[in-house]
Amino acid sequence: MPGRILTAGGLSARTERSERLADLTAAAGAGTYLCGTGGMTYLDPAPFTARGIAVAPFLPPAAGIWASARRVTALWALAHLGPAGLAARLRALAGAPDSLKAAA
């Protein structure tokens, strides 16, 4: 399924960092904000909670295609695999609890 392109001109977002991210996540229609370990150190979950958006920490496993992903942002996997490929990999990880332990 192709993604939607949202242009900044059509979006309203508050200026505080976490509020802005929550606003943009809501504008994209997402129910979860995927956040890397760097972002988790400063992210305030309150604006997301207020909008009913979950915040999910993302730390890729250390093996396979994910090995180099720890050195880049969480978006690396999305850019490399595409939305369908990333969704398939995440579903596979969710079905293999031992793999999820490696990602934690």
Side-chain angles (χ1 to χ4, degrees), residues 1 6 12 34 61 64 74-75:
M1 170 187 342
L6 301 173
S12 62
L34 187 62
L75 294 176

Side-chain angles (χ1 to χ4, degrees), residues 3 8 11 27 30 37 41 44 47 50 56 60 62 64 67-68 75 80 84-88 94 98 104:
L11 302 174
T37 54
T41 62
D44 176 6
S68 63
L75 294 176
H80 184 72
L86 178 57
D98 291 339

Side-chain angles (χ1 to χ4, degrees), residues 5-91:
I5 297 174
L6 301 173
T7 59
L11 302 174
S12 62
R14 294 171 283 182
T15 57
E16 192 277 321
R17 185 183 343 199
S18 294
E19 290 175 341
R20 181 175 58 251
L21 289 171
D23 292 344
L24 296 174
T25 302
T32 302
Y33 178 75
L34 187 62
C35 189
T37 54
M40 290 299 290
T41 62
Y42 65 77
L43 189 80
D44 176 6
F48 293 89
T49 302
R51 288 184 157 275
I53 299 169
V55 175
F58 180 80
L59 180 61
I65 65 161
W66 303 93
S68 63
R70 289 183 185 245
R71 295 186 300 272
V72 295
T73 72
L75 294 176
W76 176 89
L78 179 62
H80 184 72
L81 299 171
L86 178 57
R89 284 297 219 170
L90 291 173
R91 279 191 299 275

